[in-house]
Amino acid sequence: MTPHDLNPRTFRPGQQGPSSATMVEEEPSSPGASPDGWTDDPQSRGRIVEAIAMLESAATAMGAAALTPADLRSARQTNQLLAEAAGHEVPGRVVELIGEFHRQLYARCANSRLIELIGEEMTLLRAVEHDPVRLSPARLRGIVEEHEQLVDLIATDPTAPTIRYVLRAHRERVCYL
C-alpha cells in the first residue's frame, strides 16, 4: 500500500471490508465505560482521548511540511523499536515508544500553545488510566503498520489535508502516552 492508496475511510473504527484486517480496535479501559470508551463525563478517558486526537492531529498537520528527512528516519526507527517490542511486550516500554513516535510527528509544529495543550491532556490521561496498557501482538502490529502509513503519507505529501484526518482517526484508536 502506498500513501496514495490511503483512504481515510479505511482508518475509521468499525469499518468493515478488506481494510478491516489492519484496524486497531479500542477497548474500554475503565469499569463502567461503554464498549467504545465514551461517557458523558468531560473528564472521562474517551473525552480526553478525543481532545488529544484533535490537538495532536492539528499539530502534526501544521508541522508536517517542516519535518526533515532525518526527522522521518527517526520516526521510522522509533516505530521499528515498537515492532521489535511487539514480540515481548513490556507495557511501559510500548507506551513510551508510541508516545515518542507521535511526539516526533508533531515536533515541528510552530504553535507552542498547541504543544502545551497536548502535554496537559496527556497528563490528564495518565491520571485516569488505572491499569498498565496491555496490547496483543496483533494489535501492536496493526499500530506499527498504521505508523508506517502515516510516515509514508507525510513523506509523500506533507501538505496533504488528509494528514489531520488520518492521524486523528489513528490516535483515537491508539491514544496511549
Side-chain angles (χ1 to χ4, degrees):
M1 177 182 289
T2 68
H4 296 293
D5 296 329
L6 290 177
N7 175 347
R9 290 187 48 80
T10 64
F11 286 88
R12 295 182 90 162
Q15 176 74 23
Q16 298 299 314
S19 64
S20 64
T22 62
M23 296 300 296
V24 179
E25 296 180 18
E26 182 65 36
E27 297 172 2
S29 65
S30 60
S34 65
D36 61 3
W38 302 95
T39 70
D40 288 334
D41 178 4
Q43 298 300 308
S44 74
R45 183 186 188 286
R47 297 295 178 215
I48 297 166
V49 166
E50 182 179 42
I52 292 168
M54 292 174 69
L55 294 166
E56 193 176 296
S57 63
T60 300
M62 290 169 67
L67 289 169
T68 66
D71 293 331
L72 296 176
R73 275 193 306 276
S74 181
R76 287 185 197 280
Q77 289 169 345
T78 300
N79 199 42
Q80 181 58 40
L81 292 173
L82 180 60
E84 293 167 8
H88 45 282
E89 182 199 346
V90 177
R93 180 68 175 146
V94 167
V95 166
E96 176 185 310
L97 289 168
I98 290 171
E100 179 59 26
F101 174 84
H102 283 270
R103 282 187 295 278
Q104 289 169 325
L105 294 186
Y106 66 73
R108 299 288 179 171
C109 176
N111 185 329
S112 61
R113 180 61 185 143
L114 193 51
I115 303 301
E116 288 172 20
L117 288 170
I118 293 168
E120 290 171 14
E121 290 298 313
M122 292 305 287
T123 298
L124 190 55
L125 180 62
R126 284 190 296 270
V128 300
E129 292 282 85
H130 301 291
D131 298 316
V133 175
R134 296 215 180 265
L135 301 170
S136 70
R139 200 165 168 197
L140 279 172
R141 284 190 300 274
I143 291 169
V144 168
E145 184 177 318
E146 286 188 22
H147 284 177
E148 281 301 314
Q149 292 170 354
L150 287 166
V151 174
D152 289 345
L153 176 61
I154 292 168
T156 303
D157 185 2
T159 62
T162 55
I163 290 172
R164 183 181 300 220
Y165 178 82
V166 169
L167 193 125
R168 179 178 173 186
H170 164 76
R171 200 56 161 145
E172 284 179 348
R173 285 189 304 281
V174 187
C175 198
Y176 306 107
L177 311 176

